[in-house]
């Protein structure tokens, strides 16, 4: 392979074009004599790393380890401490993730300890603080899983101290918020440690503190501190006479349910309590994650899979299998074990405090009809609302009625006008804002007046996972009312805001990794006592009937949680004959000269003529389980 310099270059260039998988090393072979004749070189042809090491071509766990270990050869800790640290962190993570998929995860989790420690040796607080935080967080999780609570607790303390210093030193409020939300799992794992140590009160209070921190970070932008209550105040609010609370907490390592009953310490319901299966807690978490992923994937497919009429298909698996899916969710959350703890109690009302993705699902459908149910984002939100009670709703309560905006690019809701008009007839003091009049400026002006005790919105809404404070209600044209806009409005005089809109609680496939901050939280943080919303797109006719039935119960003096429970029960058991009676009663509210609402009601009655009088058209949970009530009723 020797030749003159110019000839060699040309030959090697041609070889590189023909064989791009080979690397060529050039070594000067010239001598004093040789240089007089011309400079000669030798060429060493070597295989690239992935051909020298076939493991680099592997997929999955083995391929990752081979790639990261190959990278470490080129990133010695003394020359590239951050590169070495990040590669060791990746090796530890690969071991941990592989362990979650194995029947015996411990052998993989033990392997993760050494690379995580190696990462901490080179990732300094000065030059790589965020990567060091990641290593502290993940190593503490591994040690928690391996039942080494003292070591895990020390790492969590170190991580919390470092995070606090980073936030204090950061001049950007936006970056502060991102740091706090990215590493919220440091606090979540501390909840698990307190549960493991047998300290349920401390664990619950840490969970509550985390919820309020998320609300503060997302909604107030650090401008206003949201305090957390002490345990006696929390229990006094959540557990008055005949009331219990179910408080969920999800961490990277466990799904924990706290049951709070009057005059008792919280009861943590852990998967390992009544199970002899190995790694029961991990199995519960993995089953929960799998269930959640399947629900979200199928729901997105359902929304996109249209029939010939342009509507989602009724026989789609997401809708068809909802009953069995919810039954499985109840098994994962161990609802039977929870109800057994309530069996001997005189409890008829439950307050549900979901966490993370649990906010997205119809938890109320998992409980028997003997309970009235309501949700809260956190206990502190309810305590704050209870300090400014608003009288119950009567027909004399002033109503701001916002109906069927002409929203650009969004389909009209078929029964929106009928629902809006029927509500108008049920109240004596109504301010309508409908159609093209529903603009952001006009709506905000009406909300600022403080003259109303009730607002009802019929239109479209959505949840923004990436920026929850941007979650929206669609107004006319291209305008929106977003969560961030609510926080500047004086809404503490409102008893109830009803969002009879599609998906006012959830859209998208992403996961809520911190806690739910959407339309519900925004209205409550602005001072509204109660919010009625929906979790998915509900058929317009069923939505209208249930909404009007709910108001009928409320105006009869029934407390809102019980009114919603009764409206759901009525709709789910209503046969065609009773549905005819409902539409006929509505028809009597309108004179014969009405040319807008009467034709819609008559069309509905005509469609029922072809149905079996005993058929229950809305028994499936799709029609009624989406409706949830959030807030305080005191």
């Amino acid at each position: 392979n020797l030749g003159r310099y110019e000839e060699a270059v040309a030959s090697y260039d041609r070889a590189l074009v023909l064989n791009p998988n080979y690397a060529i090393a050039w070594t000067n072979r010239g001598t004093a004599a040789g240089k007089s004749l011309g400079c000669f070189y030798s060429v060493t042809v070597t295989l690239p790393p992935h051909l020298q090491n076939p493991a680099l071509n592997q997929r999955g766990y083995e391929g990752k380890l081979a790639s990261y270990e190959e990278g470490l050869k080129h990133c010695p800790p003394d020359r590239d401490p951050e590169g070495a640290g990040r590669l060791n962190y990746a090796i530890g993570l690969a071991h941990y993730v592989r362990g979650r998929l194995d029947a015996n995860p411990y052998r993989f989790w033990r392997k993760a300890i050494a690379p995580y420690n190696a990462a901490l040796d080179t990732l300094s607080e000065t030059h790589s603080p965020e990567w060091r935080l990641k290593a502290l967080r993940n190593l503490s999780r591994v040690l928690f899983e391996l039942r080494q609570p003292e070591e895990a607790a020390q790492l969590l303390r170190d991580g919390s101290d470092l995070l606090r210093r980073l936030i204090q030193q950061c001049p950007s409020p936006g970056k502060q918020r991102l740091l706090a939300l990215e590493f919220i799992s440091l606090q979540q794992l501390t909840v698990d440690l307190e549960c493991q140590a047998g300290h349920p009160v401390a664990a619950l209070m840490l969970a509550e503190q985390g919820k309020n921190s998320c609300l503060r970070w997302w909604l107030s932008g650090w401008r206003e501190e949201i305090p957390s209550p002490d345990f006696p105040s929390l229990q006094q609010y959540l557990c008055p006479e005949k009331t219990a609370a179910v408080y969920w907490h999800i961490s990277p390592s466990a799904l924990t349910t706290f049951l709070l009953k009057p005059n008792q310490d919280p009861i943590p319901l852990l998967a390992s309590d009544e199970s002899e299966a190995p790694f029961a807690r991990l199995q519960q978490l993995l089953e929960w994650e799998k269930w959640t992923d399947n629900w979200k994937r199928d729901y997105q497919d359902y929304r996109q899979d249209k029939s010939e009429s342009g509507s989602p298909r009724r026989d789609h698996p997401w809708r068809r299998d909802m009953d069995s899916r919810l039954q499985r969710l109840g098994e994962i959350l161990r609802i039977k074990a929870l109800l057994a703890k309530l069996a001997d109690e005189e409890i008829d009302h439950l307050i549900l405090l979901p966490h993370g993705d649990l906010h997205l699902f119809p938890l109320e459908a998992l409980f028997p009809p003997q309970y009235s149910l309501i949700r809260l984002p956190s206990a502190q939100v309810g305590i704050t609302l209870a300090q400014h009670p608003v009288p119950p709703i009567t027909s004399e309560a002033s109503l701001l009625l916002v109906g069927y905006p002409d929203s650009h690019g969004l389909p009209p809701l078929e029964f929106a006008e009928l629902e809006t008009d029927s509500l108008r007839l049920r109240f004596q003091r109504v301010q309508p804002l409908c159609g093209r009049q529903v603009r952001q400026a006009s709506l905000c002006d009406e909300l600022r007046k403080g003259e109303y005790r009730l607002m009802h919105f019929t239109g479209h809404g959505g949840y923004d996972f990436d920026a929850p404070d941007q979650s929206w209600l669609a107004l006319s044209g291209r305008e929106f009312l977003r969560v961030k806009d609510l926080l500047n409005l004086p809404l503490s005089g409102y008893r109830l805001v009803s969002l009879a809109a599609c998906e006012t609680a959830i859209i998208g496939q992403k996961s809520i990794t911190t806690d739910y901050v959407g339309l519900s939280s925004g209205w409550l943080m602005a001072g509204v006592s109660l919010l009625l919303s929906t979790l998915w797109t509900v058929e317009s006719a069923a939505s209208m009937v249930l909404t009007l039935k709910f108001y009928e119960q409320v105006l009869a003096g029934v407390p809102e949680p019980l009114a919603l429970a009764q409206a759901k029960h009525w709709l789910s058991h209503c046969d065609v004959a009773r549905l005819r009676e409902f539409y006929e009663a509505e028809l009597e509210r309108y004179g014969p000269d009405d040319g807008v609402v009467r034709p819609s009601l008559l069309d509905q009655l005509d469609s029922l003529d072809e149905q079996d009088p005993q058929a229950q058209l809305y028994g499936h949970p799709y029609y009624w389980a989406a409706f949830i009530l959030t807030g305080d009723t005191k």
Side-chain angles (χ1 to χ4, degrees), residues 45-362:
V45 179
T46 60
L47 294 172
H50 75 282
L51 293 180
Q52 294 182 56
N53 183 359
L56 293 174
N57 287 323
Q58 295 186 65
R59 300 290 181 180
Y61 171 66
E62 290 79 8
K64 288 180 181 179
L65 292 182
S67 298
Y68 300 146
E69 288 166 357
E70 181 71 26
L72 281 173
K73 298 176 183 178
H74 305 278
C75 297
D78 57 335
R79 289 171 46 195
D80 187 1
E82 180 169 325
R86 291 173 67 171
L87 285 166
N88 275 307
Y89 169 85
I91 292 172
L93 183 60
H95 288 311
Y96 176 77
V97 172
R98 178 63 182 83
R100 280 171 61 102
L101 304 176
D102 199 84
N104 180 16
Y106 285 170
R107 61 194 181 104
F108 293 99
W109 291 345
R110 292 191 186 98
K111 292 180 182 180
I113 295 177
Y116 276 144
N117 278 321
L120 290 173
D121 288 340
T122 61
L123 295 171
S124 69
E125 293 188 11
T126 304
H127 298 104
S128 310
E130 292 184 39
W131 280 100
R132 183 173 180 81
L133 263 179
K134 292 179 181 180
L136 287 168
R137 174 193 62 195
N138 285 23
L139 180 54
S140 67
R141 178 172 62 183
V142 168
L143 294 175
F144 169 77
E145 300 283 13
L146 292 174
R147 306 296 176 91
Q148 300 179 37
E150 294 181 2
E151 295 89 337
Q154 182 57 54
L155 290 173
L156 288 174
R157 285 192 292 269
D158 294 344
S160 298
D161 290 343
L162 176 55
L163 177 61
R164 183 174 59 254
R165 291 195 298 272
L166 280 179
I167 291 174
Q168 290 173 347
Q169 296 165 8
C170 184
S172 165
K175 178 63 174 178
Q176 288 179 339
R177 182 170 72 175
L178 289 175
L179 282 170
L181 292 172
E182 181 179 359
F183 294 104
I184 188 65
S185 56
L186 289 170
Q187 184 179 44
Q188 293 171 350
L189 290 167
T190 306
V191 174
D192 297 337
L193 283 170
E194 293 291 355
C195 276
Q196 194 177 78
H199 304 146
V201 173
L204 178 65
M205 298 318 296
L206 282 169
E208 172 71 10
Q209 182 181 341
K211 283 177 168 289
N212 293 319
S213 295
C214 289
L215 289 170
R216 175 194 178 196
W217 294 326
W218 278 123
L219 293 180
S220 66
W222 297 89
R223 295 191 303 270
E224 182 181 350
E225 183 70 39
I226 300 176
S228 291
D230 55 27
F231 178 69
S233 300
L234 179 146
Q235 187 178 51
Q236 182 180 5
Y237 172 76
L238 292 178
C239 302
E241 186 179 4
K242 295 187 177 183
T243 301
V246 184
Y247 200 117
W248 284 280
H249 181 263
I250 303 173
S251 79
S253 297
L255 193 164
T256 305
T257 305
F258 296 95
L259 175 61
L260 288 89
K261 299 192 287 187
N263 305 314
Q264 296 183 33
D265 282 352
I267 303 170
L269 298 174
L270 305 175
S272 57
D273 287 350
E274 299 176 3
S275 174
E276 297 180 357
F279 319 112
R281 186 180 62 239
L282 174 63
Q283 290 304 313
Q284 181 193 32
L285 185 63
L286 293 177
E287 289 171 2
W288 152 249
E289 291 173 353
K290 180 180 179 181
W291 187 95
T292 302
D293 291 343
N294 288 340
W295 175 285
K296 291 181 180 179
R297 182 193 64 243
D298 289 351
Y299 178 61
Q300 287 299 306
D301 185 67
Y302 165 77
R303 294 175 71 244
Q304 298 166 6
D305 184 17
K306 307 292 185 181
S307 65
E308 293 182 1
S309 65
S311 301
R313 294 190 298 108
R314 294 190 177 191
D315 62 347
H316 189 280
W318 174 82
R319 184 162 163 178
R320 183 192 63 219
D321 301 336
M322 186 179 293
D323 253 328
S324 59
R325 287 178 190 241
L326 292 179
Q327 181 180 354
R328 178 62 186 139
L329 178 60
E331 293 170 356
I332 294 171
L333 297 180
R334 303 181 66 234
I335 298 298
K336 283 187 177 179
L338 189 154
L339 293 173
K341 301 285 186 182
L342 294 172
D344 297 330
E345 307 281 347
E346 293 185 4
I347 301 292
D348 56 18
H349 181 58
L350 292 177
I351 300 175
L352 308 182
L353 295 99
H355 186 223
D357 278 341
L358 278 168
H359 284 280
L360 311 180
F361 308 121

